[in-house]
Amino acid sequence: GVAAAAPDAGPGPAWQSKCPWGAPSTTSISCSLADVMSEQLAKELQLEEERTAFPEVVAAAEGPFITGENIDTSSDLMLAQMLQMEFDREYDAQLRREEKKINGDSKVSISFENYRKVHPYDSDSSEDEVDWQDTRHDPYRADKPTTTPRRGFIGKGKDITTKHDEVVCGRKNTARMENFAPEFQVGDGIGMDLKLSNQVFNALKQHAYSEERRSARLHEKKEHSTAEKAVDPKTRLLLYKMVNSGMLETITGCISTGKESVVFHAYGGKSATEDKVIPPECAIKVFKTTLNEFKNRDKYIKDDYRFKDRFSKLNPRKIIRMWAEKEMHNLTRMQNAGIPCPQVVILKKHVLVMSFIGQDQVPAPKLKDVTLSNEDMKKAYYQILNMMQQLYRECNLVHADLSEYNMLWHDGKVWLIDVSQSVEPTHPHGLEFLFRDCRNVSQFFQKGGVAEALNERELFNAVSGLNITADNEVDFQAEIEALEKMNEDHVQNHGKKLSMFPSDGDPPIYDE
C-alpha cells in the first residue's frame, strides 16, 4: 500500500522517489571479450579517469602562442626563443598537475614553485635592472663597526656601552684581522656578524706574526745565501759584470765545494790596465754568505790586529767580505815570499778571483788523493817544511788549517791553498794553531813512509825556533799556553803586536 501511494503523493524530494532497498534501475551493458581487450577502449577509460581526477587542467599555453603574424620569424634566434617559451609553459603545467596530484585534499601541501621555469619574457628591456655596484650598499664589503670614543662609553643613561663590551670587542677584533699580512688567510665573513673573543684574536695575531717572520727568514735565506754549486742573485750579478767587462772570458762550471766556499773555473780575458796580467785559467772562490759555518770561526779574525778594530763595528754578514779580504792579504804575503800558492787577480766583495792550479779545467789533485813514490813523498815533506818556516819567518803567518786536504800536487811540487783562516804568530792562539798544523803534517808523512819525518814537537821547534823541552805533549802544550799568555800581557801593557817569544836565533833550515 505504501509503494502504491507514493506516486499519488505528488512531487517531493528525490530520495522519496527511489527506494533504498530496491534494485538499481540501470542495467549493466554487456560487452564482448574482444571489446574488453581493445587498446582503444583502455585509452578512453584512462582519459575519462584523468578528466574526473583533474577537472581544472591548465592549458599548456596560458597565453596566445606567438605566431609569425606579429613577430618576424625569419630569425633563428627568435624561433628558438619561441620554442623555449612554449616548452617552459608545458613544463610548468606538468608541474602543476603533479603538485595537485600529490597534495590532493591534504591540509599540508607541497609546492613545486622553485622548480618552475620563469621565462624572461621581457629580456630585451634592461631599464628595470639595477646594478648593485651603482648602489651605496656593497654586499661584499664588511660593515665597519662603530668606533668607541677614548672615554670608553657610548650612549647615555641605561644604554651605555663600554669599550669592554663583549659584542663591541668581538666586532672590533674581527675588523682588525684585515690588518694581518696578505699571506695570512683570514677567511670571508660577508653577511655574517662575526665576533672574536680577545683570547682567540690574540692567538691568531701571534700566529700571523710568527708566520710573517718565518716567511721573511725563508725569503732571506733564498735571496742572500749561497748553496752548494749555486750562488745567490747578488753573486751572480758580480760574475756577470766580470764577464761583461772582459776580465773573464767565460765561466765553465764548479770544480770544488766546501763548508765555507764554492770554487768555479773560468777562462781569463783581458785586463783594463796594462800592468796587470790575467792568467789564462782562473779559479773563482765564492765565499758562502750563510753564517752557520762561521759561528766557530770568529776566533780567527776577531783577535787579529789587522781586523780587530773593524770586527766589532760590522754586522755578521759583512764579516764574510772581511774573510775574503783576509785570504787576499795572506796570499799576497805568500806570493811575495816565493811560496807556491794561487796568484790573486781581483777581489769583489766576497768573490775572490785567483790563478787556477791545474790544466785544461782539471784541478790539481790534493795531496791526500795522489799516490807518490818514496822519493816524491820525501821531496814533498822537505818542501812543506821549508814552506812552513817561510810562512812563520818571512810572511809572519801561521796557516792554522794545514793538512793534506789544503795542499795540492802540481808540476812536481806542493802548492798551498785555503789561507783565509791564517793568523800571525802574535795571535792569542797562534802557537796553538801552529802546533796543530805540525801534528797534521807529521802524522801524514809518517804514515806515508817518510822515515826522516819529525814528530809534532820537533817540527814545532824547527818551524818556530823556540826551544821548548818537554817530555810529553801535555807539558809541551802548557808551555805554549804560557808563552801566549806572556805575549798577550805584553800587548795589553805596551799596545804593540811584538813577539816576546824567547828565541835562540833563526830556526834551522832543513834540506834534503
Side-chain angles (χ1 to χ4, degrees):
V2 175
D8 300 337
W15 61 274
Q16 294 182 0
S17 63
K18 297 181 180 180
C19 181
W21 294 281
S25 58
T26 60
T27 59
S28 61
I29 302 174
S30 61
C31 59
S32 63
L33 181 60
D35 295 337
V36 174
M37 298 298 293
S38 175
E39 294 182 0
Q40 183 177 1
L41 179 62
K43 291 181 180 179
E44 292 178 357
L45 293 176
Q46 183 179 359
L47 292 175
E48 185 178 357
E49 290 180 359
E50 290 181 357
R51 285 193 296 270
T52 305
F54 309 106
E56 300 177 359
V57 177
V58 181
E62 296 181 352
F65 183 73
I66 300 177
T67 61
E69 298 176 358
N70 50 1
I71 294 179
D72 184 15
T73 58
S74 61
S75 174
D76 294 340
L77 177 61
M78 183 57 64
L79 290 175
Q81 291 178 352
M82 293 166 59
L83 292 175
Q84 184 65 37
M85 185 183 300
E86 186 66 22
F87 175 77
D88 293 345
R89 288 175 178 174
E90 293 179 359
Y91 180 78
D92 293 343
Q94 180 67 22
L95 282 180
R96 292 190 186 95
R97 289 196 296 268
E98 294 290 337
E99 181 180 347
K100 186 172 181 61
K101 182 178 180 181
I102 291 177
N103 292 333
D105 297 334
S106 177
K107 294 182 179 180
V108 180
S109 60
I110 298 176
S111 175
F112 290 171
E113 190 70 25
N114 294 335
Y115 295 95
R116 294 181 182 178
K117 295 184 177 180
V118 181
H119 191 79
Y121 298 100
D122 300 333
S123 59
D124 296 337
S125 62
S126 59
E127 298 178 356
D128 299 335
E129 295 182 1
V130 180
D131 190 2
W132 61 267
Q133 295 181 355
D134 298 335
T135 60
R136 295 184 179 180
H137 177 67
D138 186 359
Y140 294 96
R141 184 179 300 172
D143 297 334
K144 294 183 179 180
T146 57
T147 58
T148 304
R150 292 185 177 181
R151 290 177 292 179
F153 61 88
I154 300 176
K156 297 180 180 180
K158 298 180 180 180
D159 298 331
I160 293 179
T161 302
T162 65
K163 64 179 179 180
H164 303 289
D165 185 76
E166 184 178 358
V167 177
V168 175
C169 287
R171 291 172 178 169
K172 282 187 176 181
N173 292 337
T174 305
R176 289 194 189 105
M177 284 199 306
E178 297 180 358
N179 299 328
F180 290 167
E183 296 82 7
F184 189 78
Q185 303 295 335
V186 296
D188 189 4
I190 297 175
M192 295 182 289
D193 188 14
L194 297 179
K195 306 178 188 66
L196 290 180
S197 62
N198 292 335
Q199 183 179 2
V200 175
F201 174 77
N202 291 334
L204 289 175
K205 181 180 178 181
Q206 185 64 30
H207 180 66
Y209 289 164
S210 300
E211 288 295 319
E212 187 176 1
R213 289 194 296 268
R214 176 177 172 272
S215 177
R217 288 196 302 268
L218 293 177
H219 180 74
E220 181 183 6
K221 183 178 180 181
K222 180 180 178 181
E223 293 295 332
H224 300 286
S225 64
T226 56
E228 288 190 5
K229 299 184 181 180
V231 294
D232 60 342
K234 292 184 178 180
T235 306
R236 194 178 301 115
L237 181 60
L238 291 176
L239 298 179
Y240 287 160
K241 288 182 178 180
M242 292 180 183
V243 176
N244 293 335
S245 63
M247 185 180 64
L248 298 178
E249 182 179 351
T250 180
I251 300 176
T252 57
C254 180
I255 58 176
S256 176
T257 59
K259 295 183 297 182
E260 64 180 25
S261 63
V262 181
V263 182
F264 296 90
H265 176 271
Y267 285 105
K270 297 180 180 179
S271 176
T273 58
E274 297 180 356
D275 57 343
K276 192 171 186 179
V277 179
I278 298 179
E281 291 185 87
C282 297
I284 305 174
K285 188 171 185 179
V286 180
F287 289 84
K288 293 183 180 180
T289 54
T290 51
L291 302 178
N292 296 331
E293 304 295 341
F294 291 89
K295 290 181 179 178
N296 58 346
R297 291 181 174 266
D298 56 349
K299 60 183 179 180
Y300 293 97
I301 192 171
K302 70 177 182 179
D303 293 328
D304 196 329
Y305 80 97
R306 296 175 293 176
F307 305 96
K308 188 174 183 180
D309 296 336
R310 297 167 52 193
F311 181 80
S312 60
K313 299 178 182 179
L314 296 179
N315 55 35
R317 190 167 300 281
K318 290 185 179 180
I319 297 178
I320 312 303
R321 300 181 185 179
M322 190 183 300
W323 195 266
E325 181 183 349
K326 185 178 180 182
E327 179 160 6
M328 180 194 68
H329 290 307
N330 294 338
L331 286 175
T332 304
R333 285 192 185 184
M334 296 169 59
Q335 185 180 355
N336 295 334
I339 299 176
C341 65
Q343 177 186 355
V344 177
V345 177
I346 193 173
L347 172 65
K348 290 289 186 180
K349 295 184 179 179
H350 60 284
V351 178
L352 180 62
V353 182
M354 306 171 290
S355 60
F356 180 69
I357 309 299
Q359 189 176 3
D360 297 334
Q361 302 184 24
V362 179
K366 297 178 181 179
L367 205 58
K368 73 177 186 67
D369 298 328
V370 67
T371 303
L372 300 178
S373 62
N374 294 333
E375 293 296 330
D376 290 339
M377 184 67 73
K378 184 178 180 181
K379 177 181 177 182
Y381 172 73
Y382 283 104
Q383 183 183 354
I384 292 173
L385 181 58
N386 292 330
M387 285 192 298
M388 292 178 68
Q389 292 177 346
Q390 282 183 291
L391 270 177
Y392 189 88
R393 182 180 57 187
E394 299 180 17
C395 302
N396 196 24
L397 286 176
V398 175
H399 192 282
D401 193 21
L402 188 62
S403 65
E404 61 273 17
Y405 293 88
N406 293 329
M407 294 183 288
L408 304 181
W409 181 259
H410 181 62
D411 289 341
K413 58 182 178 180
V414 180
W415 297 69
L416 294 183
I417 60 171
D418 193 8
V419 292
S420 57
Q421 72 286 332
S422 300
V423 296
E424 295 193 349
T426 54
H427 188 276
H429 304 283
L431 296 182
E432 295 179 16
F433 297 154
L434 178 60
F435 184 75
R436 186 175 61 188
D437 292 346
C438 294
R439 181 193 295 123
N440 295 335
V441 172
S442 177
Q443 291 179 356
F444 173 75
F445 284 100
Q446 285 178 357
K447 292 179 181 179
V450 179
E452 296 84 353
L454 304 175
N455 58 34
E456 56 266 22
R457 287 174 286 177
E458 296 174 349
L459 184 59
F460 180 85
N461 290 330
V463 172
S464 62
L466 302 176
N467 188 14
I468 300 179
T469 56
D471 298 335
N472 50 39
E473 184 176 345
V474 177
D475 296 340
F476 196 89
Q477 291 183 349
E479 293 190 22
I480 291 177
E481 293 179 0
L483 291 175
E484 291 178 341
K485 185 65 170 60
M486 183 190 310
N487 187 72
E488 187 66 22
D489 294 341
H490 177 77
V491 170
Q492 292 180 359
N493 295 331
H494 299 81
K496 295 181 180 179
K497 277 291 181 177
L498 297 177
S499 177
M500 295 301 297
F501 304 143
S503 177
D504 296 336
D506 295 334
I509 302 297
Y510 286 84
D511 195 0
E512 184 178 355

